[in-house]
């Protein structure tokens, strides 16, 4: 495998010949991995295979131009590239195919993603940043087509920021912005909106990005004529070509089987992007896919005889081989011998990977067989247990699930037994469960102290100001304190956001740190993901919570899973700022919280009731590493709040509730804008002798980590969750947490209930809000009805 490579112009012919032979060895190695990998899937050892065969030679050229500090954001066929930069061995390739959960054996994801998904490790064993300038970097892949594109934009923009913003400690992350972000995508996936949005944004921002399109004329079984206008992505992107008077893209087209032309093209692209911060598109044409799209089908079903014949003749490895022989780099006999040796090596690597994968299960199998034997000897159900033991012992290649399943089934035959043998099996299962958590469930969230609280402080005669002023001045303190922090979004820059929470800050801190973007939520999020993966602390502003829908795929599939799918080897501490909750109208009602809670596990979802609380969340998050979304109350910017004296320092704890009013009769749980209505109702309830306790959730993910709500329910014995989401949305989530996790059912004297918005989105206007979402009267009457049921004589029926 090669490390730093040199161009043909700077070395002797013998040295160049050696590099060419090494490149060919990598190409053949990668191809053999693909061929053997497919067979492993068909035998059942692996569940699915999607390989990089047919794309080997252009990836070798890309690797030559790829430097330390650069980043890749790719798709699942880049195995040759990863091998060429010394970040993937054949043994690791097969470990990924088998889903080996040992991160040492399978460093691409610890078995959490199917083979073909690649990454490098940005964090050390302590979770701290490594020096990314001392290694070649790959952001962790995802499967959704074109999903890698928005992140690519941010990886490239980081270089722009490092080049143009002073005061950032950049030693581990950048050399004056000379790093390039390299993207790869299949030609068919250029039909996705994420591709077009990213291409346009990169042209506007002028970032050092090289976009590679691997074009084999098909998307799964569908030909390019059904995918792309004119069947040619570079042809229809000609309008993006830069010229003397206009910025844009440099567009290069090169045959995927032409090794010297590819090397030249990639060197040119690298120089342009690095030096000029101009994005480059490389359209790699005339590629093939020798085994079809994946192991789920055969390409003979949809390709013509003529196409199959052409692909065989234009296979990039074959053409590379022919070019080497024609130019006296090697003889046919020498290459035959080399290929024979490589095949043997790959078979050996496959065997080693499978042996390593089986080793933990075989060890556990041996332990379990002994435990089952002991249990059978001590049980009246020996025949049944021995049957299970025989099946376990006879399994030569056991999966972990086979062993756990057998142990659990055995317990059914030990019901009523309190024997040592049963306890041994239980202990074995508990140990296995602990290991399974580490293998399959760990690292969803970064382990960090979220409960730090710094209360706001006030002058004795504190001024009451529009709440937006508190946000603005807090952001001012943040940007002054953290030079690596920046914010961007629609209307965020020149006018200081639509609610003036950033008023005047662009003028003070410059357009690179407080900036406007186009209307393109998916790549606003992508900018944040990519920059946060390179050591910056971005705040991506999505103008309204409703518009988060445009970037929800990236938040769910990419941002929320970064730490989990890399098993703690990468992080993206992005803050997403948005505003929502009660307003008027279907498209700006902003309370689709149930959907967010289902899709954004791995992120914090924070719902402050006012701007002081929101400011505290931002201050806290900037000292943490888990990505988060902060939802400010859309109708709260003009409400009056006291102006704290410690803006930039105050902190709202994450995952901690706040009791905003104590009471003894019923526990009311809510958040955001609705919380203010609940507070108002709680005061009105005093008039009818109902003393309500009001709890502000504050944080939905994580939720009440100290279990304070159950303490309230133990006192009041009644519970009502009030929420402006649809029935079964966030209210159901909150209720499940309180009842299932906190076991509050033990203290209830009345049925726990929820009060939510209607099933539909809110209608427009003041009346629309009143009749669509919980009103003060709705809340009052619901609580009164609960109390009437409990004590009808004290609380006669209201209606």
């Amino acid at each position: 495998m090669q490390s730093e490579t040199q161009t043909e112009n700077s070395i002797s012919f013998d040295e160049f010949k050696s590099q060419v032979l090494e490149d060919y060895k990598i190409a053949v190695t990668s191809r053999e991995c693909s061929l053997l990998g497919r067979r492993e899937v068909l035998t059942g050892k692996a569940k699915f295979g999607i390989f990089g065969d047919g794309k080997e030679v252009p990836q070798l050229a890309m690797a030559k131009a790829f430097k330390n500090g650069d980043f890749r954001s790719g798709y699942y066929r880049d195995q040759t590239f990863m091998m060429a930069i010394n970040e993937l061995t054949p043994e690791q390739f097969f470990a990924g195919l088998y889903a080996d959960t040992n991160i040492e054996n399978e460093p691409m994801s610890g078995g959490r993603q199917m083979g073909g998904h690649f990454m490098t490790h940005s964090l050390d064993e302590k979770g701290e940043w490594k020096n990314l300038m001392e290694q070649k970097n790959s952001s962790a892949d995802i499967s959704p087509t074109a999903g890698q594109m928005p992140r690519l934009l941010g990886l490239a923009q980081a270089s722009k920021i490092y080049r143009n913003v002073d005061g950032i400690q950049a030693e581990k992350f950048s050399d004056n912005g000379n790093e390039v972000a390299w993207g790869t995508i299949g030609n068919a996936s250029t039909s996705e909106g994420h591709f077009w949005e990213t291409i346009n944004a990169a042209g506007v921002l002028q970032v050092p990005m090289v976009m590679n399109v691997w074009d084999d004329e098909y998307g799964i079984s569908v030909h390019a004529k059904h995918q792309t206008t004119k069947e040619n992505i570079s042809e229809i992107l000609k309008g993006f070509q830069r010229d003397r008077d206009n910025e844009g893209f440099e567009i290069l087209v090169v045959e995927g089987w032409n090794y010297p032309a590819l090397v030249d093209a990639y060197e040119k692209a690298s120089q342009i992007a690095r030096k000029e911060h101009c994005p480059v598109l490389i359209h790699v044409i005339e590629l093939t896919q020798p085994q079809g799209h994946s192991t789920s089908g055969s390409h003979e079903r949809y390709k013509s005889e003529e196409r199959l014949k052409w692909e065989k003749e234009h296979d990039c490895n074959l053409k590379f081989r022919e070019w080497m022989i024609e130019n006296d780099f090697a003889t046919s006999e020498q290459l035959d011998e080399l290929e024979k040796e490589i095949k043997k090596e790959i078979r050996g690597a496959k065997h080693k990977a499978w042996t390593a994968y089986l080793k933990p299960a075989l060890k556990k199998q041996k332990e379990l067989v002994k435990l089952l034997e002991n249990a059978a000897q001590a049980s009246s159900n020996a025949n049944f247990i021995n049957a299970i033991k025989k099946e376990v012992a006879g399994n030569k290649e056991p999966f972990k699930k086979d062993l756990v399943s057998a142990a659990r089934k055995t317990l059914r035959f030990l019901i009523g037994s309190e024997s040592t043998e049963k306890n041994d099996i239980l202990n074995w299962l508990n140990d296995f469960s602990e290991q399974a958590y580490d293998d399959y469930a760990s690292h969803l969230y970064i382990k960090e102290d979220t409960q730090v609280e710094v209360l706001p402080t006030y002058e004795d005669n504190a001024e009451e100001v529009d709440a937006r002023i508190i946000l603005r001045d807090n952001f001012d303190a943040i940007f002054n304190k953290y030079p690596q922090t920046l914010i961007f979004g629609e209307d965020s820059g020149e006018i200081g956001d639509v609610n003036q929470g950033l008023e005047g800050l662009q003028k003070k801190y410059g357009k690179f740190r407080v900036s406007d973007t186009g209307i393109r939520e998916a790549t606003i999020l992508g900018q944040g993901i990519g920059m946060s993966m390179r050591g910056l602390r971005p705040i991506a502003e999505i103008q309204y919570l409703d518009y988060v829908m445009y970037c929800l795929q990236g938040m769910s599939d990419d941002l929320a899973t970064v730490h989990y799918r890399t098993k703690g080897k990468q992080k993206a501490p992005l803050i997403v700022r948005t505003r929502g909750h009660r307003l008027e109208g279907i498209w700006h009602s902003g309370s689709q919280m149930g959907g967010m809670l289902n899709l954004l596990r791995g992120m914090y979802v924070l719902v402050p009731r006012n701007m002081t609380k929101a400011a505290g969340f931002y201050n806290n998050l900037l000292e943490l590493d888990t990505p988060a979304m902060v939802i400010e109350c859309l109708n709260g910017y003009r409400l009056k709040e006291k102006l704290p004296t410690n803006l930039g320092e105050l902190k709202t704890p994450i995952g901690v509730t706040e009791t905003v009013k104590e009471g003894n009769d019923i526990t009311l749980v809510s958040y955001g804008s609705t919380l203010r209505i609940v507070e108002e109702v709680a005061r009105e309830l005093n008039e009818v002798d109902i003393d309500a306790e009001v709890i502000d959730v504050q944080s939905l993910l994580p939720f009440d980590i100290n279990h304070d709500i159950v303490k309230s329910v133990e006192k009041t014995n009644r519970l009502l969750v009030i929420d402006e989401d649809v029935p079964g949305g966030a209210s159901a989530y909150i209720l499940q947490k309180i009842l299932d996790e906190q076991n509050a059912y033990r203290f209830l004297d009345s049925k726990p209930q929820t009060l939510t918005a209607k099933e539909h989105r809110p209608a427009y206007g003041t009346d629309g809000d009143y009749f669509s979402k919980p009103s003060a009267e709705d809340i009052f009457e619901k609580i009164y009805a609960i109390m009437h049921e409990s004590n009808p004589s004290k609380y006669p029926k209201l209606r």
Side-chain angles (χ1 to χ4, degrees), residues 193-327:
H194 284 353
F195 173 83
W196 291 94
E197 193 172 311
T198 301
I199 290 294
N200 180 60
V204 170
L205 292 171
Q206 288 293 286
V207 292
M209 178 181 100
V210 178
M211 184 65 242
N212 306 277
V213 179
W214 310 140
D215 190 347
D216 57 33
E217 293 192 16
Y218 284 85
I220 308 182
S221 65
V222 180
H223 190 267
K225 65 186 177 184
H226 302 296
Q227 307 273 3
T228 310
T229 303
K230 299 184 179 180
E231 302 180 30
N232 190 318
I233 190 64
S234 58
E235 181 67 23
I236 60 176
L237 285 174
K238 280 184 176 178
F240 286 81
Q241 175 66 54
R242 64 177 181 165
D243 56 38
R244 183 177 299 174
D245 302 316
N246 298 285
E247 292 181 331
F249 270 73
E250 186 64 38
I251 299 177
L252 306 174
V253 180
V254 59
E255 296 96 343
W257 46 264
N258 192 333
Y259 176 81
L262 284 161
V263 172
D264 289 343
Y266 276 89
E267 184 61 32
K268 179 180 180 182
S270 175
Q271 290 178 4
I272 292 171
R274 240 176 261 286
K275 187 186 224 178
E276 304 176 42
H277 274 198
C278 168
V280 181
L281 176 85
I282 303 180
H283 184 191
V284 184
I285 61 173
E286 298 189 12
L287 285 170
T288 67
Q289 204 150 273
Q291 299 188 108
H293 173 262
S294 68
T295 53
S296 61
S298 169
H299 64 157
E300 285 84 3
R301 292 187 301 165
Y302 54 84
K303 291 178 183 175
S304 68
E305 290 293 332
E306 291 77 16
R307 174 67 191 187
L308 291 169
K309 182 175 182 292
W310 182 91
E311 288 199 5
K312 187 174 182 180
E313 294 171 348
H314 287 79
D315 183 293
C316 65
N317 281 13
L318 175 63
K319 299 291 279 186
F320 189 13
R321 189 185 203 276
E322 291 172 351
W323 175 82
M324 291 174 64
I325 294 170
E326 289 171 5
N327 289 275

Side-chain angles (χ1 to χ4, degrees), residues 398-448:
F399 288 110
K400 296 173 188 175
K401 76 173 187 65
D402 299 329
L403 304 177
V404 172
S405 176
R408 294 171 73 176
K409 287 179 179 178
T410 301
L411 292 177
R412 301 173 191 176
F413 299 107
L414 297 172
I415 292 175
S417 169
E418 298 301 329
S419 66
T420 300
E421 291 78 9
K422 179 180 178 179
N423 287 332
D424 289 343
I425 293 175
L426 287 170
N427 290 334
W428 183 91
L429 276 170
N430 290 336
D431 290 343
F432 216 133
S433 295
E434 287 183 17
Q435 184 60 50
Y437 175 85
D438 182 67
D439 288 342
Y440 303 107
S442 65
H443 296 90
L444 181 60
Y445 290 93
I446 295 173
K447 292 181 180 179
E448 53 194 359

Side-chain angles (χ1 to χ4, degrees), residues 76 133 173 336 532 723 759:
Y76 37 67
M133 295 302 298
F173 306 106
D336 288 342
S532 65
D723 172 54
E759 300 247 16

Side-chain angles (χ1 to χ4, degrees), residues 485-538:
T485 301
L486 58 152
I487 192 166
F488 45 90
E490 298 159 16
D491 300 309
S492 300
E494 188 170 351
I495 70 168
D497 89 39
V498 291
N499 297 102
Q500 299 289 278
L502 298 168
E503 179 189 26
L505 297 185
Q506 184 183 82
K507 185 175 181 180
K508 183 172 183 179
Y509 293 101
K511 293 183 179 180
F512 285 101
R513 295 191 65 194
V514 183
S515 55
D516 289 309
T517 69
I519 299 175
R520 47 174 183 77
E521 286 79 9
T523 45
I524 291 172
L525 178 77
Q527 287 175 250
I529 296 173
M531 285 193 282
S532 65
M533 295 181 89
R534 290 192 58 193
L536 296 170
R537 292 307 305 253

